[in-house]
Amino acid sequence: MVEEFKVGVIGAGYVGLVTGACLAQIGHRVTCVDRDEDRVAQLSAGRVPIYEPGLEEMVVRNARRGTLFFTGPGGLREVVRAADVVFIAVDTPQGEDGSADLSNVAAVAKSIGSVLAAAPREKPLLIVNKSTVPVGSGDYVSMLVCDGIDEAGGAGEPAEFRVVSNPEFLREGNALYDSLFPDRIVLGADSREALEAMRSLYDPIIAQSFPTDLDPRPKVSVPLVVTDLASAEMIKYAANAFLATKISFINEVSNLCELVGADVANVAAGIGLDERIGPRFLGAGVGWGGSCFPKDVAALRSVAREYDYEPVLLDATVAVNERQRRRVISKLQHDLHTLKGKRIALLGLAFKPNTDDLREAPSLRIAGELDSLGARVVGYDPVAGKAAARLSPGLRVVFDPYEALAGAHAAVVVTEWEEVRNLDLERAASLMDDPGLLVDGRNTLDPDAVRAAGLLYRGFGR
Ligand SMILES: NC(=O)c1ccc[n+]([C@@H]2O[C@H](COP(=O)([O-])OP(=O)(O)OC[C@H]3O[C@@H](n4cnc5c(N)ncnc54)[C@H](O)[C@@H]3O)[C@@H](O)[C@H]2O)c1
């Protein structure tokens, strides 16, 4: 029998909503709070405002059986008062100087404090940092909760609380799978009782005892990493910085492959079989983007600077990534020469497949640069098109890949959606200017098949 916790999740975005839905799914009673009333209204009506496979079904199922609820900022007081555990899952965007902007986290921490000021409770409230926050933020949250308590005043003793760091590692597009079958759960806290309570909360996932339709179960049990607050916070940044560096590394190798006449796909396959290296995150191309890697690497570099430490490897990781965007343009210029007046189709706009997330998407940067060079840029994405059109004024968005390709001098594969990987190449060639140029920014198409269809193929490092 699962011990049922009353859980509040503050911030119902990608992470908060997935966390809330999964905790409800494994047997807890969850209320998600978001300051965006429109988002709350949609969720309460059973509509999920973000694209994440399987999420809407899970939200609706748990809302119907009375384990998942939604409320706006006005409901925060009641949620905190009733909760055993409150997750902070608000966004921590990149500040102007590269550091993580913690203003949303701070506002939530203070609000929690104001509730604790006048609400005696049997057990201390667990406040869990799920947002990605720099080392030291656990203590910062404690301080702000105390400030909230002091500012609210109130008679009697304030309620006790404990802060826990529980970084999130889900991948958008695979978020439910990653939350229910994670590679590990990381918990950092200074309090043993807080760690024990968190272990109980996650027990169905740790022991893999919740029901699932997947047969065989992908995991037998899930490792739990229990550590101090600072180490837990650092694990998240180190993981993302490592993955970003791995991609930049293969991109550096890919550029060298182009110079020496080697094929980076074969090189990646050859090194990836080494168990110490592993095959993943070795895809050369336009580089990394998204809601996490850019801001997390920037935040880690910013922390390094605070300590007067020069993070040379992280600086290079970013520099290589910047250069990859530019290489798309060089490849187009190499074959088309001037880009002024040329029609360029961008295939895939979201920062990766199976998500509508456009934060720091390479497509937007490439579209902006092409626009400034006088090209006519047409973009296609199965999900993120409308949002991309709003974000990138120089980009004309269409909703069919072949419409994007019609009359195009060149096409750039930016996001390897299934619709893009399975493009009818003959049809593409017949629609494009002759001979159409295909720049494969994800090395995802078969060069021989592209050439056989009558197109010119340019990959990265092949
Ligand atoms: N998206 C990912 O793939 C991912 C993966 C791992 C970790 N993270 C981290 O998780 C955190 C959340 O990221 P996200 O992608 O879910 O962000 P998001 O922008 O999708 O969602 C954040 C939500 O918080 C709400 N919010 C902000 N301030 C609030 C407040 N004061 N009160 C109530 N609601 C508030 C916003 O309205 C929004 O709905 C970030 O720190 C991010 O770095 C994200």
Side-chain angles (χ1 to χ4, degrees):
M1 188 63 192
V2 178
E3 181 191 350
E4 185 190 282
F5 282 74
K6 287 201 187 65
V7 180
V9 179
I10 313 202
Y14 286 91
V15 167
L17 195 52
V18 169
T19 302
C22 288
L23 289 174
Q25 180 71 22
I26 64 168
H28 302 302
R29 189 179 169 82
V30 182
T31 306
C32 297
V33 184
D34 204 288
R35 68 175 172 192
D36 179 344
E37 296 279 13
D38 182 49
R39 175 167 286 236
V40 171
Q42 287 197 54
L43 288 165
S44 303
R47 285 192 305 276
V48 167
I50 52 175
Y51 178 81
E52 182 60 47
L55 182 58
E56 190 159 285
E57 292 85 328
M58 193 186 273
V59 165
V60 169
R61 191 182 322 128
N62 285 288
R64 279 209 186 117
R65 66 182 185 132
T67 52
L68 182 60
F69 305 87
F70 300 99
T71 181
L76 182 107
R77 176 161 287 274
E78 202 36 56
V79 170
V80 173
R81 202 171 274 179
D84 305 305
V85 185
V86 170
F87 282 82
I88 302 179
V90 296
D91 40 324
T92 49
Q94 187 173 326
E96 270 173 24
D97 60 354
S99 64
D101 175 349
L102 296 181
S103 51
N104 292 333
V105 172
V108 172
K110 268 191 147 185
S111 307
I112 294 173
S114 72
V115 181
L116 294 183
R121 24 185 328 126
E122 265 175 36
K123 284 190 198 160
L125 175 69
L126 298 186
I127 301 173
V128 183
N129 258 341
K130 192 129 225 21
S131 298
T132 302
V133 287
V135 174
S137 299
D139 296 336
Y140 179 61
V141 164
S142 290
M143 184 190 87
L144 287 159
V145 174
C146 290
D147 286 354
I149 292 174
D150 290 345
E151 280 171 28
E157 281 292 295
E160 282 190 62
F161 68 93
R162 307 274 183 269
V163 175
V164 178
S165 166
N166 172 216
E168 179 54 60
F169 301 97
L170 65 79
R171 293 161 300 168
E172 289 176 17
N174 285 292
L176 296 185
Y177 184 95
D178 290 347
S179 299
L180 292 171
F181 310 106
D183 288 343
R184 76 299 209 187
I185 292 174
V186 175
L187 295 175
D190 301 331
S191 147
R192 254 176 104 93
E193 62 174 327
L195 289 167
E196 274 313 312
M198 288 301 292
R199 190 195 294 264
S200 304
L201 176 91
Y202 278 123
D203 186 65
I205 294 179
I206 295 166
Q208 287 289 297
S209 58
F210 62 89
T212 170
D213 296 338
L214 295 182
D215 183 28
R217 231 177 218 287
K219 293 238 151 66
V220 180
S221 65
V222 169
L224 182 64
V225 178
V226 175
T227 178
D228 57 282
L229 268 170
S231 304
E233 290 164 344
M234 192 62 168
I235 286 170
K236 174 65 193 174
Y237 281 104
N240 275 355
F242 181 82
L243 293 171
T245 302
K246 201 172 174 192
I247 298 173
S248 283
F249 174 81
I250 200 67
N251 276 328
E252 184 96 296
V253 170
S254 117
N255 297 336
L256 291 170
C257 282
E258 284 183 17
L259 294 173
V260 302
D263 184 335
V264 75
N266 294 337
V267 174
I271 63 172
L273 283 169
D274 186 326
E275 283 184 10
R276 293 168 302 174
I277 297 174
R280 295 165 70 189
F281 283 77
L282 287 180
V286 300
W288 42 272
S291 56
C292 290
F293 287 6
K295 81 172 174 63
D296 293 350
V297 174
L300 196 51
R301 290 168 79 204
S302 166
V303 166
R305 285 194 294 271
E306 257 176 50
Y307 289 82
D308 199 21
Y309 177 85
E310 195 188 346
V312 281
L313 182 58
L314 298 178
D315 290 349
T317 294
V318 173
V320 169
N321 201 48
E322 292 287 321
R323 200 168 52 188
Q324 290 310 106
R325 315 282 203 255
R326 183 64 219 166
R327 284 181 81 84
V328 175
I329 312 291
S330 318
K331 283 176 194 289
L332 291 166
Q333 286 170 329
H334 180 266
D335 289 301
L336 301 180
H337 306 293
T338 177
L339 299 181
K340 211 178 267 311
K342 299 275 164 55
R343 181 176 160 116
I344 315 284
L346 299 185
L347 302 178
L349 302 170
F351 88 90
K352 66 175 185 177
N354 294 326
T355 180
D356 57 353
D357 200 337
L358 282 156
R359 287 177 278 187
E360 297 287 330
S363 64
L364 300 180
R365 196 50 188 285
I366 294 166
E369 199 136 331
L370 288 172
D371 183 48
S372 72
L373 290 169
R376 288 176 296 137
V377 196
V378 189
Y380 157 75
D381 191 282
V383 175
K386 273 194 192 140
R390 278 196 298 276
L391 290 172
S392 186
L395 177 70
R396 188 164 86 77
V397 169
V398 295
F399 297 93
D400 178 286
Y402 301 100
E403 194 181 335
L405 291 166
H409 298 86
V412 182
V413 173
V414 188
T415 314
E416 65 280 35
W417 283 95
E418 207 179 315
E419 292 83 341
V420 175
R421 282 190 279 116
N422 296 330
L423 211 60
D424 179 341
L425 295 169
E426 310 274 339
R427 189 169 165 206
S430 71
L431 288 168
M432 289 176 73
D433 192 57
D434 190 25
L437 166 66
L438 204 147
V439 176
D440 187 354
R442 298 291 178 184
N443 280 358
T444 193
L445 300 175
D446 173 2
D448 291 337
V450 175
R451 289 190 195 105
L455 292 162
L456 213 56
Y457 180 88
R458 301 277 177 236
F460 278 74
R462 341 168 73 169

